[in-house]
Amino acid sequence: MTYQKHGAYEFERNLRVLIDMDMVLCDFESRLLEIYRDRFPEDPYIPLEKRKGFYARDQYGKLREDLPEKIISIYNGEGFFQSLSEIDGACAAVKEIDQMENVEVFLCTSPLVCYDFCLKEKCQWVEEHLGKNWVDKVIITRDKTLVQGDILIDDKPDIKGSVKKPSWEHIIFTACHNVKARIGNKKRLENWTDGSWRDLIEDFQKRI
């Protein structure tokens, strides 16, 4: 059991794990491509294995200048976020992490600039796939550097904000767009299915 001193008192110190949603828990990219090809069958597309860069709209803009608006129209549309499939093994793993001794889990996700539907639908997705009690564990913020935690598992290779040195260590969750991204000394979590996440969590538990 881990304790942290505060003045004359000691209190139990939990490992706080922050977990992103899109491309960590739910498959944003596959659904985006599926809808795009169905809605715009005559337009060029980028297979998932050739996706590069965090923002799909930027890569599509290199194909043709009108394509970014089409990409944006899909994920800004009603029903998109609620329709996302679960990343293999994600929900079971996250629930198991939350049950580990002296560990607490929060979902830390960023809203779209156009948030008409995504805010509600992200919470609906969590309730449907993890359970209603997990909605209370959702943190929606444009600046994740402000959130206190020990680990942030996120697919975005470079997370910046108002805090230059966040309290958390950034673990890159491997996704189609970041396979070849330069991540420096950051660790990767390749998937939720091979059990490597357990070693990751246990290693951090030993540090606090």
Side-chain angles (χ1 to χ4, degrees):
M1 189 167 293
T2 306
Y3 292 88
Q4 181 169 319
K5 291 186 177 181
H6 182 73
Y9 301 94
E10 290 187 349
F11 60 91
E12 187 174 341
R13 167 81 159 85
N14 288 334
L15 179 75
R16 179 172 294 176
V17 181
L18 307 173
I19 301 178
D20 181 34
M21 288 185 63
D22 301 324
M23 293 310 294
V24 177
L25 295 185
C26 39
D27 196 343
F28 181 102
E29 292 278 349
S30 292
R31 183 60 173 150
L32 178 64
L33 180 59
E34 179 184 24
I35 296 175
Y36 175 84
R37 294 194 65 186
D38 181 64
R39 192 175 296 178
F40 309 110
E42 303 301 318
D43 289 334
Y45 71 93
I46 300 169
L48 294 180
E49 63 269 20
K50 293 186 177 181
R51 270 282 290 116
K52 296 178 181 179
F54 185 71
Y55 297 106
R57 64 175 185 263
D58 291 344
Q59 191 176 3
Y60 273 84
K62 296 177 181 178
L63 295 181
R64 211 170 67 200
E65 64 180 10
D66 65 311
L67 297 183
E69 286 303 316
K70 293 182 177 182
I71 290 293
I72 292 170
S73 72
I74 294 171
Y75 56 68
N76 277 345
E78 185 173 8
F80 176 76
F81 282 93
Q82 196 172 358
S83 72
L84 301 183
S85 299
E86 175 194 350
I87 297 289
D88 288 347
C91 292
V94 168
K95 288 180 178 179
E96 188 173 336
I97 294 172
D98 193 54
Q99 292 300 310
M100 296 175 75
E101 186 176 3
N102 299 323
V103 177
E104 56 183 358
V105 177
F106 292 90
L107 308 182
C108 189
T109 184
S110 296
L112 298 176
V113 174
C114 180
Y115 52 82
D116 293 1
F117 305 113
C118 78
L119 296 178
K120 178 181 178 181
E121 291 184 13
K122 280 176 179 283
C123 290
Q124 288 174 328
W125 193 96
V126 169
E127 181 172 348
E128 179 181 349
H129 290 267
L130 288 168
K132 191 172 184 178
N133 61 308
W134 277 82
V135 177
D136 290 336
K137 291 176 169 284
V138 177
I139 300 170
I140 299 178
T141 177
R142 296 286 296 176
D143 189 346
K144 295 180 181 180
T145 69
L146 294 170
V147 183
Q148 294 291 311
D150 297 292
I151 310 171
L152 172 65
I153 301 175
D154 200 301
D155 64 301
K156 190 173 184 180
D158 189 18
I159 299 176
K160 296 181 179 179
S162 57
V163 179
K164 292 183 179 180
K165 293 184 178 181
S167 59
W168 37 257
E169 181 174 331
H170 182 191
I171 306 298
I172 306 291
F173 191 85
T174 297
C176 59
H177 62 82
N178 70 26
V179 173
K180 296 182 179 180
R182 296 179 181 178
I183 62 172
N185 295 324
K186 295 177 183 178
K187 297 183 180 68
R188 276 188 181 270
L189 182 61
E190 297 289 347
N191 57 66
W192 292 113
T193 56
D194 66 5
S196 59
W197 58 265
R198 294 188 183 89
D199 295 332
L200 176 74
I201 300 300
E202 289 171 1
D203 178 59
F204 273 89
Q205 282 182 304
K206 295 173 183 177
R207 301 187 194 182
I208 64 171

